[in-house]
Amino acid sequence: MSKFHFQPIRGRAREILKAILQTPEVASCSQKDVFALRLACEEVVMNITSYAYPEGSEDYLDVEILKTDRIIIRFEDGGIPFNPLEHEKPDTTMWWEDRPIGGLGILITIRKMDDVRYAYVDHKNVLTIEKVIKDTE
């Protein structure tokens, strides 16, 4: 299991994503699975680093990664309570230029992962994503 504690997080999305993708758990997956994990993790990390904390507050992000027959990535932050699974789903039948901004990233995350769960526990947002691993490289 790999564990990370990032603090502060503002402006560090690229570094955080790189750390996640370079773990033995993720790096040992097939290119197809890594691509799906990258899309999902990029969405989650960008949202947390951009929106979870009010300006000037002490921010942090804890990440745990476990690999069994699946990759389980748990993101925990102490930011503003936000359940992305309750966010209104975007109308993907509309032309992209007519669509309001927001929601598409979490929709992609939900579609690329086999399970996505959210809980607000002890004043912390906990988002867990899971991807069944088909084969490794």
Side-chain angles (χ1 to χ4, degrees):
M1 176 187 288
S2 294
K3 292 183 179 187
F4 297 99
H5 175 77
F6 299 99
Q7 188 177 23
I9 60 171
R10 198 169 305 280
R12 295 178 63 197
R14 183 176 291 181
E15 173 190 341
I16 293 167
L17 181 62
K18 185 176 179 182
I20 293 167
L21 296 175
Q22 290 180 344
T23 62
E25 295 86 358
V26 175
S28 63
C29 295
S30 70
Q31 285 185 353
K32 183 177 179 180
D33 288 336
V34 170
F35 180 75
L37 289 162
R38 179 188 182 98
L39 283 175
C41 289
E42 186 170 7
E43 173 63 22
V44 172
V45 169
M46 284 301 297
N47 281 340
I48 294 170
T49 59
S50 300
Y51 305 115
Y53 293 93
E55 190 69 41
S57 64
E58 283 212 25
D59 56 354
Y60 75 91
L61 172 60
D62 291 334
V63 180
E64 291 181 0
I65 305 165
L66 176 66
K67 183 176 183 185
T68 58
D69 63 330
R70 60 189 60 225
I71 294 282
I72 303 166
I73 305 177
R74 182 176 184 267
F75 300 89
E76 182 180 294
D77 70 78
I80 299 164
F82 177 71
N83 182 348
L85 303 177
E86 291 178 350
H87 193 278
E88 186 176 332
K89 305 287 186 271
D91 182 353
T92 57
T93 62
M94 293 176 67
W95 288 100
W96 64 269
E97 57 209 13
D98 297 330
R99 237 183 270 149
I101 294 175
L104 193 57
I106 192 63
L107 180 64
I108 291 169
T109 299
I110 291 167
R111 288 186 178 171
K112 290 287 184 185
M113 297 296 104
D114 293 298
D115 191 26
V116 180
R117 295 182 309 280
Y118 171 84
Y120 189 71
V121 181
D122 296 328
H123 306 287
K124 298 174 187 173
N125 293 293
V126 180
L127 184 71
T128 305
I129 61 174
E130 293 188 20
K131 176 80 176 148
V132 173
I133 302 305
K134 301 207 175 22
D135 45 22
T136 56
E137 292 184 331

